Amino acid sequence: MRVNAYAAPAAGEPLAPTTIERRDVGANDVLIEIQYAGICHSDIHTVNGDWGPQPFPVVPGHEIVGVVSEVGSAVTQHQVGSRVGVGCMVNSCGTCTNCRNGNEQYCDDGMVGTYAATDRDGTTTQGGYSTHVVVDADYVLTVPESLDPAAAAPLLCAGITTYAPLRHWGAGPGTKVAVVGLGGLGHMAVRIASALGAEVTVLSQSLKKQEDGLRLGAQDYFATSDPETFEQLAGRFDLIINTVSASIDLNAYLGLLAVDGTLVNVGAPADALSVHAMSLISRRRSFAGSMIGGIAQTQEMLDFCAEHGIGAEVEVIAADQVNEAYERVLASDVRYRFVIDTSTLG
């Protein structure tokens, strides 16, 4: 079926209206009428070519919420009319150790991204800046009805990207967690870490978002532009979640960790990051990275957010505002996530 969409025709060029072909609904497929699609910084990196050559034209979008409009003959877990979501992956091999262990995001054959990736049938995936999408049912999530659908869309990337490391490294009562950056990822990290029971501190370049950070659940908020911050907080944290997609002085931040503390990068800067070995050795600290979660953990995250009333703080826009939204994301002029109302695609 032909559907309306917004696509980037080439690297660095503005997105424009287009139509794309969606495959027929197979036995294990779900056809979703998309209602909302979040804008992720990853979308911008991809269409700008920051992460290498892409199979243009590219329809971005991996924060998708919509309603099931058709299911394949073998589908039992989703029904027509149900509210569902699709995140950053739409397929994996399903047979490797990681897939069998619920870590499909680390598939040995490479997970299939929701856009700009080669699917198992050889076609190029196209994302959520469109009116409809067809997805294998095993990669479709149930979005609890108590969640606002627009606020739920960013949970499919920003939510699980921060929930996964917080759970893996044991954030909870008695732990001290710092979140670097209060943007699309950072504001979700603060809300989720707080709901898990951790003591949360925001580390941001300035104090201009301090009121927001405290409202979202942080106990403390410090400006990293102030050198005294790194002296005052030295050795304090059990876990630091770095959400920024730009180069930072990792060694300075590692100095904020307690013995056995971990700094986890979830932001993905285009440039390499440098770490001095002594920053790790001196207090048995760790520097780690984390992607999204597997399908089961993503569903766990959605249910957790519904239980705790957690959604992203969003600005809903029409599709023809997407290029302006990209510029504003790069200028840090959004609190805290843009979401496209896909009914405006026509």
Side-chain angles (χ1 to χ4, degrees), residues 49-177:
D50 296 338
W51 292 342
Q54 303 297 330
F56 292 102
V58 168
V59 177
H62 56 206
E63 299 179 342
I64 300 168
V65 169
V67 175
V68 176
S69 56
E70 185 181 345
V71 296
S73 59
V75 176
T76 58
Q77 65 268 52
H78 304 291
Q79 292 78 41
V80 172
S82 297
R83 179 178 291 160
V84 293
V86 178
C88 301
M89 61 180 163
V90 292
N91 219 327
S92 67
C93 79
T95 58
C96 71
T97 299
N98 290 331
C99 285
R100 293 198 310 270
N101 289 341
N103 289 315
E104 301 94 338
Q105 75 276 29
Y106 302 126
C107 175
D108 287 342
D109 287 346
M111 72 162 189
V112 177
T114 304
Y115 63 85
T118 302
D119 210 340
R120 299 299 175 201
D121 60 3
T123 60
T124 299
T125 57
Q126 301 289 1
Y129 298 9
S130 57
T131 58
H132 296 77
V133 65
V134 178
V135 180
D136 185 300
D138 293 337
Y139 298 83
V140 176
L141 290 306
T142 297
V143 177
E145 289 293 332
S146 62
L147 290 172
D148 173 82
L155 299 180
L156 277 303
C157 176
I160 187 58
T161 296
T162 52
Y163 182 86
L166 287 167
R167 293 289 286 178
H168 182 80
W169 276 277
T175 61
K176 295 181 179 180
V177 174

Side-chain angles (χ1 to χ4, degrees), residues 9 65 67 111 135 204 208 221 248 264 272 293 297 300 312 320 327:
V65 169
V67 175
M111 72 162 189
V135 180
S204 186
K208 66 180 182 180
Y221 197 111
I248 64 170
V264 183
Q297 189 177 53
E300 175 188 303
D320 62 7
E327 293 176 2

Side-chain angles (χ1 to χ4, degrees), residues 6 8 16 30 36 94 106 122 130 137 153 190 197 226 242-243 245 249 253 257 284 302 319 324 329 332 341:
Y6 252 67
V30 174
Y36 296 98
Y106 302 126
S130 57
V190 171
D226 182 354
N242 176 28
T243 71
S245 293
D249 183 353
Y253 286 88
L257 290 171
R284 204 165 56 203
L302 287 168
E324 176 190 348
V329 170
S332 299
D341 177 354

Side-chain angles (χ1 to χ4, degrees), residues 14-36:
L15 278 71
T18 188
T19 61
I20 57 173
E21 187 73 26
R22 293 299 193 187
R23 70 173 183 261
D24 294 336
V25 177
N28 203 52
D29 284 336
V30 174
L31 172 63
I32 302 167
E33 180 180 354
I34 300 172
Q35 295 176 320
Y36 296 98

